[in-house]
Amino acid sequence: MRQTVLLGILLCYFSFQTTAQTKENSAKPGSRPVKFLKKQIAAESFETVAVFDVNQDKIPDLVSGAYWYEGPHFFKRHTIGTVTRINEYWDDFSTVALDVNKDGRLDFVTGGWFGKTLIWRENPGNDKEWPEHVIAKPGNIETTRSWDIDGDGTPDIIPNTPNDSLIIYRLSANTPGKFTKHRITGKHGHGLGFGDINGDGRGDLVVENGWLEAPAQPFTQAWTLHPDFKLGTASVPILVVDVNQDKLPDLIVGQAHGYGLHWYEQQKDKKSKKTTWVKHPIDLINSQYHTLEWVDIDQDGLPELITGKRYRAHNGNDPGETDPLGLYYFKWNGESFTKQVISYGPFGEGKGAGLYFSVADLTGSGRKDIVVAGKDGLYVFYNQGSE
């Protein structure tokens, strides 16, 4: 009898410890899916949105195409200026925030496929329209990104111009509002990424048919193309990240105009030092993964992959056009990615991603919210944390 009572006490103790440990683990950041609160800002919108403080009131605003929406509630809409419309497209394919004229106010850089022109729009500091300034006419612009190519602390502007030369536009240090032009290579296809591929401390560029090794002087010396892979109609950006934490940068690539989302594992032979790239699937059942972000969304200290389907990327002519829309984050579990749904459903219910979206803390909660534009509307997904 005494042994039975003792055994019962021990079983209760271990049961309590197990339950307590389970509760403790479930409360850890990243251990449970993140919940999001969806808010519509505009039913129809442009395909690009950025978050920055337009009016210098220290509150984040949303900037998308012809308008900016005043934070913190985004009810009040202000006009930026006219954007050309071609069929279903607004010819405005990026929102790269940058103080171009160095007056202390953030402007933005954009460009379009149809106009073939890279421009910057000047923040006037009042409610007047934003003047438009031409940077260059580089050809059809799929979208534009900014990376600090030479590590001088100022982002450089790189449009993805699939049918034309790959050119970096560097903001002049001496003449505010002016850019210098640096041709890197010729026709380079759909897709663009940036990161230190070979571990030499310099940022390299990734294009559809390989990676371009940065020289010591990236604006005066030639870049070397390594044709190690063919990525197809690759996303912008192509992410350069160490997925499996083996200290070798890998690639994450979406198919912008077809099905598929993959990561390419960089492997290096210890003897020959030869590099190979092993392709791994992340998601094969969704199409038009045109843009990606790599951000810690669940506050566990490790980044997650955030992406979604671009709605009607080619006006109904891409594979999977009639499939449900979706916005997702993918979490690396040490062996593969697991998929978490943020939004999913047919048009009007689910929400996809456009060409350029933003991840930022809009409320001061310490959690990263997601702001997504597109032909299917402009929305904020407020991060509610894990339950």
Side-chain angles (χ1 to χ4, degrees):
M1 179 70 178
R2 184 177 178 182
Q3 289 178 336
T4 302
V5 172
L6 181 59
L7 180 60
I9 292 171
L10 288 172
L11 287 172
C12 287
Y13 172 77
F14 285 117
S15 175
F16 172 79
Q17 289 290 94
T18 302
T19 302
Q21 187 66 45
T22 301
K23 288 182 177 179
E24 180 183 345
N25 289 338
S26 67
K28 289 180 179 178
S31 62
R32 295 177 67 87
V34 177
K35 303 293 184 182
F36 292 89
L37 177 64
K38 178 181 177 182
K39 177 182 179 180
Q40 184 185 75
I41 306 301
E44 181 185 13
S45 83
F46 304 81
E47 293 194 73
T48 170
V49 61
V51 177
F52 61 89
D53 183 4
V54 171
N55 53 357
Q56 298 181 304
D57 64 354
K58 299 183 180 179
I59 298 173
D61 307 301
L62 308 184
V63 179
S64 181
Y67 306 105
W68 68 275
Y69 302 82
E70 189 173 337
H73 304 297
F74 314 119
F75 297 138
K76 189 174 183 181
R77 188 179 77 174
H78 304 259
T79 298
I80 289 174
T82 302
V83 176
T84 301
R85 183 159 194 168
I86 309 291
N87 298 320
E88 292 186 24
Y89 294 100
W90 293 101
D91 203 26
D92 178 75
F93 287 4
S94 62
T95 314
V96 180
L98 181 65
D99 183 3
V100 176
N101 57 357
K102 300 181 181 178
D103 64 355
R105 295 188 293 268
L106 282 172
D107 316 294
F108 70 90
V109 176
T110 185
W113 181 266
F114 303 95
K116 301 181 180 181
T117 305
L118 187 68
I119 66 168
W120 68 279
R121 301 205 75 147
E122 181 182 354
N123 183 346
N126 52 41
D127 232 10
K128 294 181 180 179
E129 289 196 2
W130 297 35
E132 181 179 299
H133 305 273
V134 173
I135 298 171
K137 293 181 179 291
N140 301 113
I141 299 173
E142 184 68 26
T143 183
T144 302
R145 291 299 183 271
S146 64
W147 294 296
D148 186 358
I149 300 296
D150 60 351
D152 67 351
T154 300
D156 304 295
I157 303 299
I158 310 100
N160 180 208
T161 50
N163 301 321
D164 295 276
S165 295
L166 177 59
I167 296 172
I168 298 173
Y169 296 89
R170 189 184 188 195
L171 185 60
S172 172
N174 301 318
T175 310
K178 300 297 181 182
F179 291 82
T180 55
K181 174 181 175 181
H182 305 273
R183 183 182 181 276
I184 302 303
T185 190
K187 186 176 178 179
H188 55 285
H190 194 302
L192 187 64
F194 176 74
D196 185 1
I197 296 290
N198 57 354
D200 65 356
R202 297 192 288 267
D204 309 299
L205 289 166
V206 183
V207 291
E208 185 275 333
N209 64 334
W211 62 280
L212 290 151
E213 182 179 352
Q217 302 298 324
F219 298 118
T220 57
Q221 297 176 326
W223 294 56
T224 303
L225 176 65
H226 299 268
D228 292 355
F229 39 72
K230 295 284 286 185
L231 302 177
T233 54
S235 54
V236 185
I238 298 162
L239 297 177
V240 180
V241 295
D242 184 3
V243 171
N244 55 356
Q245 299 180 356
D246 64 354
K247 298 183 180 180
L248 291 174
D250 310 300
L251 306 178
I252 300 178
V253 185
Q255 287 304 304
H257 298 288
Y259 282 96
L261 178 65
H262 298 83
W263 72 281
Y264 290 72
E265 180 185 0
Q266 182 179 177
Q267 296 182 350
K268 188 168 289 188
D269 186 271
K270 292 182 179 179
K271 291 183 179 180
S272 68
K273 303 298 182 182
K274 182 181 178 181
T275 297
T276 56
W277 298 86
V278 180
K279 184 178 180 180
H280 302 279
I282 299 174
D283 186 4
L284 304 181
I285 64 172
N286 287 282
S287 72
Q288 298 169 85
Y289 282 122
H290 206 292
T291 183
L292 321 171
E293 293 290 337
W294 184 247
V295 179
D296 182 9
I297 203 71
D298 60 7
Q299 297 182 291
D300 69 346
L302 298 173
E304 284 76 46
L305 168 63
I306 307 170
T307 184
K309 177 182 175 179
R310 182 184 172 196
Y311 177 58
R312 294 183 63 79
H314 277 161
N315 293 350
N317 296 308
D318 274 343
E321 281 279 8
T322 59
D323 294 347
L325 298 171
L327 183 67
Y328 317 100
Y329 76 90
F330 296 83
K331 187 167 185 63
W332 177 253
N333 62 19
E335 297 181 353
S336 61
F337 283 94
T338 57
K339 183 178 183 178
Q340 303 293 340
V341 175
I342 299 170
S343 180
Y344 183 80
F347 179 81
E349 296 180 19
K351 176 71 182 90
L355 279 165
Y356 191 112
F357 71 97
S358 296
V359 184
D361 181 0
L362 298 176
T363 65
S365 67
R367 298 185 294 267
K368 295 292 180 66
D369 309 299
I370 303 173
V371 189
V372 192
K375 296 172 185 174
D376 52 343
L378 175 61
Y379 288 80
V380 174
F381 289 85
Y382 289 102
N383 187 335
Q384 305 296 290
S386 303
E387 288 187 351

